[in-house]
Amino acid sequence: MNIQKLILLRVPSVHILQSCGMKHFPPPPNYDHIQLPERPKLRFMDKVPYIPPGSRAPKMQKKLRLMRGPETVHNFLIHQQYGIVALGGGRLKWPHFEMMRLAIGRKIDPDRMFAIWRVDAPWQPVTKKGQGQRMGGGKGAIDHYVTPIKAGRVILEVGGKCEFKEVKGFLHNIAMKLPFQAMAVSHEMLKEREEKEKWEEENNQNYYTMKYCMQNNMGGCHKWMSPFDYKFLGKYL
């Protein structure tokens, strides 16, 4: 065999266009348009609402309608970054506010991040009678105050010069400790969720929707349905 052929067989092939493991990373996001507020941390919420001197604290009914149905006002992120959104109705007590305030105060970097409340301080009174008392005798004394929450309500927002990966962990832990179902979201997640619900409603191929079943008394559902089922079509409990 020719000596030149032997040399070519022994020499390994080398590609001139090899990049030697070179990787391309996208540029970091630009946060020059974000302005941090003077108070980056969550403010303290009062345990009891302010009552003018000389007046008595008013009592109130349960008003469960304040927790039913979807939230129609505070259902978007003002700063279009990150936050916690309620997935169901419930009530926030003062210890829940303190839990969120202390947890976020420990986790965020105040030099480049901030957090704001999107809910009011506890304002609805909840009455309770002492243990062992008989029925009757009028309405009990005020035990504590709560803030009613509807599904889709934004509880708080976190923003600043940071990415969602930095805040997702502690926002998820806080959402799991709330007395109702909640989740950590970003502005993009809320937009995708809204578009998905709209697409599913427009492209639904199932003829037997919840609205059709309720209107036509399928399975005798009129016996156990409530006015709220007709209003929300079984979507919100």
Side-chain angles (χ1 to χ4, degrees), residues 9 34 44 59 61 69 73 83 103 149 162 191 201 203 217 230:
L9 290 172
I34 295 178
F44 178 81
K59 299 177 184 180
Q61 297 175 343
V73 180
I149 301 295
C162 58
K191 289 183 63 177
E201 185 177 356
N203 297 272
N217 194 20
Y230 288 105

Side-chain angles (χ1 to χ4, degrees), residues 69-71 74-76 85-88 149-154 193 236:
E71 176 64 37
H74 303 282
N75 54 5
F76 64 94
V85 175
L87 301 179
I149 301 295
K150 290 186 176 182
R153 177 70 183 261
V154 179
R193 183 182 176 188
Y236 302 97

Side-chain angles (χ1 to χ4, degrees), residues 56-193:
R56 224 170 149 186
K59 299 177 184 180
M60 192 179 296
Q61 297 175 343
K62 289 185 178 180
K63 292 188 177 181
L64 298 179
R65 62 181 181 273
L66 298 177
M67 299 181 289
R68 282 176 170 156
E71 176 64 37
T72 58
V73 180
H74 303 282
N75 54 5
F76 64 94
L77 298 173
I78 295 177
H79 298 279
Q80 298 184 358
Q81 286 194 286
Y82 327 114
I84 298 177
V85 175
L87 301 179
R91 288 173 170 174
L92 284 176
K93 297 181 181 180
W94 183 77
H96 299 129
F97 284 94
E98 280 295 284
M99 178 270 298
M100 291 186 282
R101 185 181 69 88
L102 296 176
I104 290 182
R106 287 191 298 263
K107 294 296 183 180
I108 67 171
D109 184 4
D111 294 332
R112 60 185 183 90
M113 301 166 66
F114 66 92
I116 60 171
W117 291 113
R118 290 295 303 277
V119 292
D120 301 324
W123 59 270
Q124 185 182 12
V126 177
T127 59
K128 184 179 179 181
K129 285 192 174 184
Q131 189 175 5
Q133 292 189 10
R134 293 185 178 182
M135 297 292 290
K139 196 171 181 64
I142 296 176
D143 184 66
H144 60 276
Y145 290 84
V146 296
T147 300
I149 301 295
K150 290 186 176 182
R153 177 70 183 261
V154 179
I155 307 299
L156 56 86
E157 285 192 46
V158 175
K161 302 178 181 179
C162 58
E163 297 184 9
F164 186 54
K165 295 180 181 178
E166 301 180 52
V167 301
K168 182 180 179 181
F170 64 84
L171 287 181
H172 175 74
N173 293 336
I174 293 174
M176 294 297 103
K177 296 177 183 178
L178 295 178
F180 44 79
Q181 291 186 354
M183 65 179 297
V185 298
S186 63
H187 180 64
E188 291 75 15
M189 291 173 61
L190 287 181
K191 289 183 63 177
E192 291 177 1
R193 183 182 176 188

